[in-house]
PDB file of all heavy atoms in Angstrom:
ATOM      1  N   SER G   1       7.481   4.551   4.364  1.00  0.00           N
ATOM      2  CA  SER G   1       8.122   4.444   5.657  1.00  0.00           C
ATOM      3  C   SER G   1       8.860   3.109   5.753  1.00  0.00           C
ATOM      4  O   SER G   1       8.536   2.143   5.047  1.00  0.00           O
ATOM      5  CB  SER G   1       7.099   4.558   6.780  1.00  0.00           C
ATOM      6  OG  SER G   1       6.249   3.433   6.802  1.00  0.00           O
ATOM      7  N   ASP G   2       9.847   3.045   6.646  1.00  0.00           N
ATOM      8  CA  ASP G   2      10.605   1.811   6.810  1.00  0.00           C
ATOM      9  C   ASP G   2       9.719   0.648   7.252  1.00  0.00           C
ATOM     10  O   ASP G   2       9.973  -0.507   6.896  1.00  0.00           O
ATOM     11  CB  ASP G   2      11.731   2.016   7.819  1.00  0.00           C
ATOM     12  CG  ASP G   2      12.841   2.899   7.296  1.00  0.00           C
ATOM     13  OD1 ASP G   2      12.942   3.070   6.065  1.00  0.00           O
ATOM     14  OD2 ASP G   2      13.619   3.420   8.119  1.00  0.00           O
ATOM     15  N   SER G   3       8.668   0.928   8.012  1.00  0.00           N
ATOM     16  CA  SER G   3       7.840  -0.131   8.563  1.00  0.00           C
ATOM     17  C   SER G   3       7.019  -0.867   7.512  1.00  0.00           C
ATOM     18  O   SER G   3       6.608  -2.003   7.746  1.00  0.00           O
ATOM     19  CB  SER G   3       6.913   0.426   9.643  1.00  0.00           C
ATOM     20  OG  SER G   3       5.992   1.350   9.097  1.00  0.00           O
ATOM     21  N   VAL G   4       6.760  -0.243   6.357  1.00  0.00           N
ATOM     22  CA  VAL G   4       5.937  -0.873   5.329  1.00  0.00           C
ATOM     23  C   VAL G   4       6.689  -1.135   4.032  1.00  0.00           C
ATOM     24  O   VAL G   4       6.153  -1.809   3.142  1.00  0.00           O
ATOM     25  CB  VAL G   4       4.666  -0.049   5.021  1.00  0.00           C
ATOM     26  CG1 VAL G   4       3.909   0.266   6.305  1.00  0.00           C
ATOM     27  CG2 VAL G   4       5.006   1.225   4.258  1.00  0.00           C
ATOM     28  N   LYS G   5       7.895  -0.632   3.908  1.00  0.00           N
ATOM     29  CA  LYS G   5       8.662  -0.790   2.670  1.00  0.00           C
ATOM     30  C   LYS G   5       8.840  -2.270   2.341  1.00  0.00           C
ATOM     31  O   LYS G   5       9.234  -3.064   3.192  1.00  0.00           O
ATOM     32  CB  LYS G   5      10.012  -0.096   2.810  1.00  0.00           C
ATOM     33  CG  LYS G   5      10.763   0.109   1.506  1.00  0.00           C
ATOM     34  CD  LYS G   5      12.021   0.952   1.732  1.00  0.00           C
ATOM     35  CE  LYS G   5      11.682   2.324   2.292  1.00  0.00           C
ATOM     36  NZ  LYS G   5      12.888   3.160   2.520  1.00  0.00           N
ATOM     37  N   GLY G   6       8.541  -2.631   1.106  1.00  0.00           N
ATOM     38  CA  GLY G   6       8.623  -4.014   0.671  1.00  0.00           C
ATOM     39  C   GLY G   6       7.345  -4.802   0.855  1.00  0.00           C
ATOM     40  O   GLY G   6       7.214  -5.898   0.294  1.00  0.00           O
ATOM     41  N   ARG G   7       6.397  -4.287   1.644  1.00  0.00           N
ATOM     42  CA  ARG G   7       5.116  -4.953   1.858  1.00  0.00           C
ATOM     43  C   ARG G   7       3.949  -4.206   1.233  1.00  0.00           C
ATOM     44  O   ARG G   7       3.004  -4.834   0.762  1.00  0.00           O
ATOM     45  CB  ARG G   7       4.842  -5.132   3.353  1.00  0.00           C
ATOM     46  CG  ARG G   7       5.865  -5.994   4.079  1.00  0.00           C
ATOM     47  CD  ARG G   7       5.399  -6.305   5.501  1.00  0.00           C
ATOM     48  NE  ARG G   7       5.280  -5.091   6.314  1.00  0.00           N
ATOM     49  CZ  ARG G   7       4.158  -4.700   6.932  1.00  0.00           C
ATOM     50  NH1 ARG G   7       3.048  -5.435   6.830  1.00  0.00           N
ATOM     51  NH2 ARG G   7       4.142  -3.596   7.662  1.00  0.00           N
ATOM     52  N   PHE G   8       3.993  -2.878   1.258  1.00  0.00           N
ATOM     53  CA  PHE G   8       2.906  -2.047   0.746  1.00  0.00           C
ATOM     54  C   PHE G   8       3.333  -1.378  -0.552  1.00  0.00           C
ATOM     55  O   PHE G   8       4.517  -1.049  -0.734  1.00  0.00           O
ATOM     56  CB  PHE G   8       2.524  -0.952   1.743  1.00  0.00           C
ATOM     57  CG  PHE G   8       1.902  -1.422   3.027  1.00  0.00           C
ATOM     58  CD1 PHE G   8       1.808  -2.770   3.347  1.00  0.00           C
ATOM     59  CD2 PHE G   8       1.402  -0.489   3.925  1.00  0.00           C
ATOM     60  CE1 PHE G   8       1.236  -3.190   4.536  1.00  0.00           C
ATOM     61  CE2 PHE G   8       0.825  -0.894   5.119  1.00  0.00           C
ATOM     62  CZ  PHE G   8       0.742  -2.242   5.423  1.00  0.00           C
ATOM     63  N   THR G   9       2.370  -1.146  -1.441  1.00  0.00           N
ATOM     64  CA  THR G   9       2.615  -0.449  -2.694  1.00  0.00           C
ATOM     65  C   THR G   9       1.534   0.598  -2.911  1.00  0.00           C
ATOM     66  O   THR G   9       0.344   0.284  -2.832  1.00  0.00           O
ATOM     67  CB  THR G   9       2.633  -1.423  -3.884  1.00  0.00           C
ATOM     68  OG1 THR G   9       3.625  -2.433  -3.678  1.00  0.00           O
ATOM     69  CG2 THR G   9       2.947  -0.671  -5.178  1.00  0.00           C
ATOM     70  N   ILE G  10       1.946   1.840  -3.188  1.00  0.00           N
ATOM     71  CA  ILE G  10       1.010   2.903  -3.504  1.00  0.00           C
ATOM     72  C   ILE G  10       1.015   3.114  -5.012  1.00  0.00           C
ATOM     73  O   ILE G  10       2.069   3.056  -5.654  1.00  0.00           O
ATOM     74  CB  ILE G  10       1.347   4.205  -2.748  1.00  0.00           C
ATOM     75  CG1 ILE G  10       0.238   5.249  -2.929  1.00  0.00           C
ATOM     76  CG2 ILE G  10       2.699   4.762  -3.151  1.00  0.00           C
ATOM     77  CD1 ILE G  10       0.378   6.459  -2.005  1.00  0.00           C
ATOM     78  N   ALA G  11      -0.161   3.340  -5.591  1.00  0.00           N
ATOM     79  CA  ALA G  11      -0.291   3.551  -7.026  1.00  0.00           C
ATOM     80  C   ALA G  11      -1.462   4.480  -7.296  1.00  0.00           C
ATOM     81  O   ALA G  11      -2.392   4.572  -6.490  1.00  0.00           O
ATOM     82  CB  ALA G  11      -0.490   2.220  -7.757  1.00  0.00           C
ATOM     83  N   SER G  12      -1.411   5.165  -8.429  1.00  0.00           N
ATOM     84  CA  SER G  12      -2.480   6.080  -8.810  1.00  0.00           C
ATOM     85  C   SER G  12      -3.102   5.667 -10.138  1.00  0.00           C
ATOM     86  O   SER G  12      -2.427   5.118 -11.006  1.00  0.00           O
ATOM     87  CB  SER G  12      -1.973   7.521  -8.904  1.00  0.00           C
ATOM     88  OG  SER G  12      -1.011   7.656  -9.939  1.00  0.00           O
ATOM     89  N   ASP G  13      -4.390   5.911 -10.264  1.00  0.00           N
ATOM     90  CA  ASP G  13      -5.113   5.751 -11.520  1.00  0.00           C
ATOM     91  C   ASP G  13      -5.695   7.118 -11.839  1.00  0.00           C
ATOM     92  O   ASP G  13      -6.746   7.489 -11.326  1.00  0.00           O
ATOM     93  CB  ASP G  13      -6.201   4.697 -11.396  1.00  0.00           C
ATOM     94  CG  ASP G  13      -6.890   4.409 -12.715  1.00  0.00           C
ATOM     95  OD1 ASP G  13      -6.876   5.270 -13.614  1.00  0.00           O
ATOM     96  OD2 ASP G  13      -7.455   3.299 -12.851  1.00  0.00           O
ATOM     97  N   ASN G  14      -4.986   7.878 -12.680  1.00  0.00           N
ATOM     98  CA  ASN G  14      -5.387   9.260 -12.943  1.00  0.00           C
ATOM     99  C   ASN G  14      -6.742   9.345 -13.644  1.00  0.00           C
ATOM    100  O   ASN G  14      -7.493  10.295 -13.418  1.00  0.00           O
ATOM    101  CB  ASN G  14      -4.321   9.963 -13.772  1.00  0.00           C
ATOM    102  CG  ASN G  14      -3.053  10.221 -12.997  1.00  0.00           C
ATOM    103  OD1 ASN G  14      -2.972   9.965 -11.788  1.00  0.00           O
ATOM    104  ND2 ASN G  14      -2.035  10.742 -13.679  1.00  0.00           N
ATOM    105  N   ALA G  15      -7.053   8.370 -14.485  1.00  0.00           N
ATOM    106  CA  ALA G  15      -8.332   8.379 -15.189  1.00  0.00           C
ATOM    107  C   ALA G  15      -9.504   8.270 -14.223  1.00  0.00           C
ATOM    108  O   ALA G  15     -10.587   8.791 -14.493  1.00  0.00           O
ATOM    109  CB  ALA G  15      -8.383   7.257 -16.215  1.00  0.00           C
ATOM    110  N   LYS G  16      -9.307   7.587 -13.104  1.00  0.00           N
ATOM    111  CA  LYS G  16     -10.351   7.418 -12.101  1.00  0.00           C
ATOM    112  C   LYS G  16     -10.204   8.365 -10.918  1.00  0.00           C
ATOM    113  O   LYS G  16     -11.025   8.317  -9.991  1.00  0.00           O
ATOM    114  CB  LYS G  16     -10.370   5.980 -11.589  1.00  0.00           C
ATOM    115  CG  LYS G  16     -10.724   4.947 -12.647  1.00  0.00           C
ATOM    116  CD  LYS G  16     -10.758   3.552 -12.050  1.00  0.00           C
ATOM    117  CE  LYS G  16     -11.168   2.521 -13.087  1.00  0.00           C
ATOM    118  NZ  LYS G  16     -11.198   1.150 -12.515  1.00  0.00           N
ATOM    119  N   ASN G  17      -9.163   9.213 -10.930  1.00  0.00           N
ATOM    120  CA  ASN G  17      -8.876  10.103  -9.797  1.00  0.00           C
ATOM    121  C   ASN G  17      -8.855   9.331  -8.478  1.00  0.00           C
ATOM    122  O   ASN G  17      -9.450   9.744  -7.480  1.00  0.00           O
ATOM    123  CB  ASN G  17      -9.877  11.257  -9.737  1.00  0.00           C
ATOM    124  CG  ASN G  17      -9.595  12.344 -10.754  1.00  0.00           C
ATOM    125  OD1 ASN G  17      -8.552  12.369 -11.402  1.00  0.00           O
ATOM    126  ND2 ASN G  17     -10.533  13.263 -10.899  1.00  0.00           N
ATOM    127  N   THR G  18      -8.142   8.220  -8.484  1.00  0.00           N
ATOM    128  CA  THR G  18      -8.105   7.335  -7.328  1.00  0.00           C
ATOM    129  C   THR G  18      -6.667   6.908  -7.049  1.00  0.00           C
ATOM    130  O   THR G  18      -5.908   6.619  -7.975  1.00  0.00           O
ATOM    131  CB  THR G  18      -8.984   6.098  -7.548  1.00  0.00           C
ATOM    132  OG1 THR G  18     -10.338   6.510  -7.771  1.00  0.00           O
ATOM    133  CG2 THR G  18      -8.952   5.176  -6.334  1.00  0.00           C
ATOM    134  N   VAL G  19      -6.304   6.873  -5.770  1.00  0.00           N
ATOM    135  CA  VAL G  19      -5.023   6.357  -5.312  1.00  0.00           C
ATOM    136  C   VAL G  19      -5.283   5.100  -4.484  1.00  0.00           C
ATOM    137  O   VAL G  19      -6.208   5.070  -3.668  1.00  0.00           O
ATOM    138  CB  VAL G  19      -4.254   7.406  -4.494  1.00  0.00           C
ATOM    139  CG1 VAL G  19      -3.024   6.793  -3.834  1.00  0.00           C
ATOM    140  CG2 VAL G  19      -3.838   8.564  -5.385  1.00  0.00           C
ATOM    141  N   TYR G  20      -4.469   4.077  -4.707  1.00  0.00           N
ATOM    142  CA  TYR G  20      -4.622   2.802  -4.027  1.00  0.00           C
ATOM    143  C   TYR G  20      -3.437   2.536  -3.110  1.00  0.00           C
ATOM    144  O   TYR G  20      -2.319   2.982  -3.356  1.00  0.00           O
ATOM    145  CB  TYR G  20      -4.728   1.659  -5.044  1.00  0.00           C
ATOM    146  CG  TYR G  20      -5.854   1.826  -6.032  1.00  0.00           C
ATOM    147  CD1 TYR G  20      -5.628   2.380  -7.287  1.00  0.00           C
ATOM    148  CD2 TYR G  20      -7.145   1.437  -5.701  1.00  0.00           C
ATOM    149  CE1 TYR G  20      -6.663   2.539  -8.191  1.00  0.00           C
ATOM    150  CE2 TYR G  20      -8.179   1.593  -6.601  1.00  0.00           C
ATOM    151  CZ  TYR G  20      -7.938   2.141  -7.844  1.00  0.00           C
ATOM    152  OH  TYR G  20      -8.971   2.293  -8.738  1.00  0.00           O
ATOM    153  N   LEU G  21      -3.689   1.773  -2.060  1.00  0.00           N
ATOM    154  CA  LEU G  21      -2.636   1.247  -1.210  1.00  0.00           C
ATOM    155  C   LEU G  21      -2.823  -0.256  -1.120  1.00  0.00           C
ATOM    156  O   LEU G  21      -3.750  -0.732  -0.459  1.00  0.00           O
ATOM    157  CB  LEU G  21      -2.660   1.880   0.180  1.00  0.00           C
ATOM    158  CG  LEU G  21      -1.518   1.461   1.110  1.00  0.00           C
ATOM    159  CD1 LEU G  21      -0.183   2.008   0.602  1.00  0.00           C
ATOM    160  CD2 LEU G  21      -1.772   1.926   2.537  1.00  0.00           C
ATOM    161  N   GLN G  22      -1.961  -0.998  -1.815  1.00  0.00           N
ATOM    162  CA  GLN G  22      -1.973  -2.455  -1.753  1.00  0.00           C
ATOM    163  C   GLN G  22      -1.131  -2.890  -0.566  1.00  0.00           C
ATOM    164  O   GLN G  22       0.068  -2.610  -0.511  1.00  0.00           O
ATOM    165  CB  GLN G  22      -1.427  -3.058  -3.047  1.00  0.00           C
ATOM    166  CG  GLN G  22      -1.386  -4.581  -3.059  1.00  0.00           C
ATOM    167  CD  GLN G  22      -2.762  -5.205  -3.018  1.00  0.00           C
ATOM    168  OE1 GLN G  22      -3.649  -4.793  -3.745  1.00  0.00           O
ATOM    169  NE2 GLN G  22      -2.943  -6.192  -2.147  1.00  0.00           N
ATOM    170  N   MET G  23      -1.746  -3.572   0.388  1.00  0.00           N
ATOM    171  CA  MET G  23      -1.090  -3.986   1.620  1.00  0.00           C
ATOM    172  C   MET G  23      -0.981  -5.502   1.627  1.00  0.00           C
ATOM    173  O   MET G  23      -1.989  -6.205   1.639  1.00  0.00           O
ATOM    174  CB  MET G  23      -1.863  -3.496   2.843  1.00  0.00           C
ATOM    175  CG  MET G  23      -2.112  -1.989   2.851  1.00  0.00           C
ATOM    176  SD  MET G  23      -2.866  -1.421   4.399  1.00  0.00           S
ATOM    177  CE  MET G  23      -4.464  -2.232   4.276  1.00  0.00           C
ATOM    178  N   ASN G  24       0.252  -6.005   1.618  1.00  0.00           N
ATOM    179  CA  ASN G  24       0.528  -7.435   1.625  1.00  0.00           C
ATOM    180  C   ASN G  24       1.279  -7.819   2.886  1.00  0.00           C
ATOM    181  O   ASN G  24       1.926  -6.986   3.521  1.00  0.00           O
ATOM    182  CB  ASN G  24       1.344  -7.831   0.398  1.00  0.00           C
ATOM    183  CG  ASN G  24       0.634  -7.571  -0.906  1.00  0.00           C
ATOM    184  OD1 ASN G  24      -0.587  -7.715  -1.009  1.00  0.00           O
ATOM    185  ND2 ASN G  24       1.399  -7.200  -1.932  1.00  0.00           N
ATOM    186  N   ARG G  25       1.204  -9.107   3.219  1.00  0.00           N
ATOM    187  CA  ARG G  25       1.906  -9.644   4.395  1.00  0.00           C
ATOM    188  C   ARG G  25       1.628  -8.803   5.634  1.00  0.00           C
ATOM    189  O   ARG G  25       2.544  -8.373   6.344  1.00  0.00           O
ATOM    190  CB  ARG G  25       3.410  -9.756   4.120  1.00  0.00           C
ATOM    191  CG  ARG G  25       3.764 -10.897   3.156  1.00  0.00           C
ATOM    192  CD  ARG G  25       5.230 -10.879   2.774  1.00  0.00           C
ATOM    193  NE  ARG G  25       5.469  -9.944   1.680  1.00  0.00           N
ATOM    194  CZ  ARG G  25       6.432  -9.048   1.651  1.00  0.00           C
ATOM    195  NH1 ARG G  25       7.286  -8.948   2.643  1.00  0.00           N
ATOM    196  NH2 ARG G  25       6.553  -8.252   0.609  1.00  0.00           N
ATOM    197  N   LEU G  26       0.351  -8.584   5.881  1.00  0.00           N
ATOM    198  CA  LEU G  26      -0.067  -7.733   6.987  1.00  0.00           C
ATOM    199  C   LEU G  26       0.316  -8.338   8.332  1.00  0.00           C
ATOM    200  O   LEU G  26       0.290  -9.557   8.517  1.00  0.00           O
ATOM    201  CB  LEU G  26      -1.570  -7.493   6.926  1.00  0.00           C
ATOM    202  CG  LEU G  26      -1.998  -6.470   5.869  1.00  0.00           C
ATOM    203  CD1 LEU G  26      -3.459  -6.651   5.505  1.00  0.00           C
ATOM    204  CD2 LEU G  26      -1.739  -5.050   6.375  1.00  0.00           C
ATOM    205  N   LYS G  27       0.663  -7.459   9.265  1.00  0.00           N
ATOM    206  CA  LYS G  27       1.042  -7.821  10.618  1.00  0.00           C
ATOM    207  C   LYS G  27       0.053  -7.220  11.610  1.00  0.00           C
ATOM    208  O   LYS G  27      -0.631  -6.245  11.294  1.00  0.00           O
ATOM    209  CB  LYS G  27       2.449  -7.302  10.947  1.00  0.00           C
ATOM    210  CG  LYS G  27       3.530  -7.711   9.966  1.00  0.00           C
ATOM    211  CD  LYS G  27       4.831  -7.015  10.307  1.00  0.00           C
ATOM    212  CE  LYS G  27       5.936  -7.383   9.341  1.00  0.00           C
ATOM    213  NZ  LYS G  27       7.208  -6.678   9.669  1.00  0.00           N
ATOM    214  N   SER G  28       0.007  -7.770  12.809  1.00  0.00           N
ATOM    215  CA  SER G  28      -0.869  -7.214  13.832  1.00  0.00           C
ATOM    216  C   SER G  28      -0.527  -5.756  14.123  1.00  0.00           C
ATOM    217  O   SER G  28      -1.424  -4.961  14.450  1.00  0.00           O
ATOM    218  CB  SER G  28      -0.796  -8.041  15.116  1.00  0.00           C
ATOM    219  OG  SER G  28       0.516  -8.063  15.644  1.00  0.00           O
ATOM    220  N   GLU G  29       0.731  -5.380  13.979  1.00  0.00           N
ATOM    221  CA  GLU G  29       1.161  -4.002  14.201  1.00  0.00           C
ATOM    222  C   GLU G  29       0.584  -3.022  13.179  1.00  0.00           C
ATOM    223  O   GLU G  29       0.654  -1.806  13.395  1.00  0.00           O
ATOM    224  CB  GLU G  29       2.692  -3.898  14.176  1.00  0.00           C
ATOM    225  CG  GLU G  29       3.392  -4.817  15.156  1.00  0.00           C
ATOM    226  CD  GLU G  29       3.827  -6.118  14.510  1.00  0.00           C
ATOM    227  OE1 GLU G  29       2.964  -7.023  14.387  1.00  0.00           O
ATOM    228  OE2 GLU G  29       5.012  -6.233  14.137  1.00  0.00           O
ATOM    229  N   ASP G  30       0.043  -3.526  12.068  1.00  0.00           N
ATOM    230  CA  ASP G  30      -0.575  -2.667  11.063  1.00  0.00           C
ATOM    231  C   ASP G  30      -1.997  -2.252  11.434  1.00  0.00           C
ATOM    232  O   ASP G  30      -2.592  -1.424  10.736  1.00  0.00           O
ATOM    233  CB  ASP G  30      -0.601  -3.366   9.702  1.00  0.00           C
ATOM    234  CG  ASP G  30       0.785  -3.667   9.169  1.00  0.00           C
ATOM    235  OD1 ASP G  30       1.679  -2.801   9.293  1.00  0.00           O
ATOM    236  OD2 ASP G  30       0.975  -4.770   8.618  1.00  0.00           O
TER     237      ASP G  30
END
């Protein structure tokens, strides 16, 4: 979404069947 682009990164680890959301530069609106 436009609100998180450039701050958040989604990634998958197929071996662990896990998806991550790395959230940086968090704001109160998050």
Side-chain angles (χ1 to χ4, degrees):
S1 68
D2 289 341
S3 64
V4 308
K5 194 173 300 180
R7 299 189 297 123
F8 293 6
T9 303
I10 188 169
S12 64
D13 185 336
N14 290 355
K16 296 182 178 180
N17 283 350
T18 300
V19 171
Y20 303 96
L21 184 68
Q22 179 66 46
M23 305 186 294
N24 298 324
R25 288 173 277 133
L26 283 159
K27 306 174 181 179
S28 60
E29 305 95 278
D30 298 318

